[in-house]
Every structure is written in C-alpha cells, then in structure tokens.
Amino acid sequence: MDTPYQNTTHPELDEPVPKEKAMDLCTEDLGCVERIKELHNYLDMVKKIGKPGCSEEVLEVALSSISSLINFLSVASTPKLHASL
C-alpha cells in the first residue's frame, strides 16, 4: 500500500532521510492534522454562535474578526519577493 511517507529522500540532495528524521516528519504531520481539526472546531463554534437570531454586536465582532484574519492570512501566505530582485 502506498503512503506519503514511503519516499524517504531529500529531493534536493537525493539522499536517504535518517529513520529518526522520517519519524519526526510523520509526527509533525500528525500534529498539523490535529491543529487543523482544532481550527475546524473553532470555525464550527463561530457558525453556532453566529446563527440567525444572534445579536447585532456578536455578528459585527464575528465579521470583523474573520475579515481581519482572512486579510492577515492572505498576506502571510503570499510568497515574499527577494530583496535582491
């Protein structure tokens, strides 16, 4: 069965990754999956709190916060240009 963890080479070096490093990468991926689940739980909570019938203040705070978060994440995820260019 193919798994994403079977390739244990550094693409840039084309050398085998030590077994300990491969395990670290696997553990990091599992940690990332858990953090993504946590993010989804928070988003579900926002959906529940921001449902029809919520106060105007709650809706305004939710919209403002989500808008700011999206703007920040958009900037943070944009590749940076090298200063030498």
Side-chain angles (χ1 to χ4, degrees):
M1 186 163 117
D2 291 336
T3 68
Y5 305 109
Q6 286 181 334
N7 182 3
T8 58
T9 61
H10 288 286
E12 64 276 5
L13 300 176
D14 202 26
E15 295 177 2
V17 175
K19 188 174 184 175
E20 297 80 21
K21 181 66 175 173
M23 291 303 294
D24 286 345
L25 293 173
C26 182
T27 303
E28 289 173 14
D29 287 347
L30 290 176
C32 185
V33 169
E34 289 302 315
R35 293 178 56 95
I36 289 171
K37 286 180 185 178
E38 182 180 7
L39 173 63
H40 287 210
N41 287 334
Y42 280 124
L43 294 172
D44 288 341
M45 290 170 58
V46 171
K47 285 181 187 179
K48 288 178 185 177
I49 294 169
K51 64 184 177 186
C54 71
S55 71
E56 189 67 31
E57 292 82 14
V58 166
L59 186 56
E60 184 60 35
V61 169
L63 287 171
S64 176
S65 298
I66 293 291
S67 176
S68 295
L69 177 61
I70 294 299
N71 288 335
F72 175 79
L73 293 175
S74 295
V75 170
S77 65
T78 301
K80 306 290 186 250
L81 293 177
H82 295 289
S84 61
L85 294 178

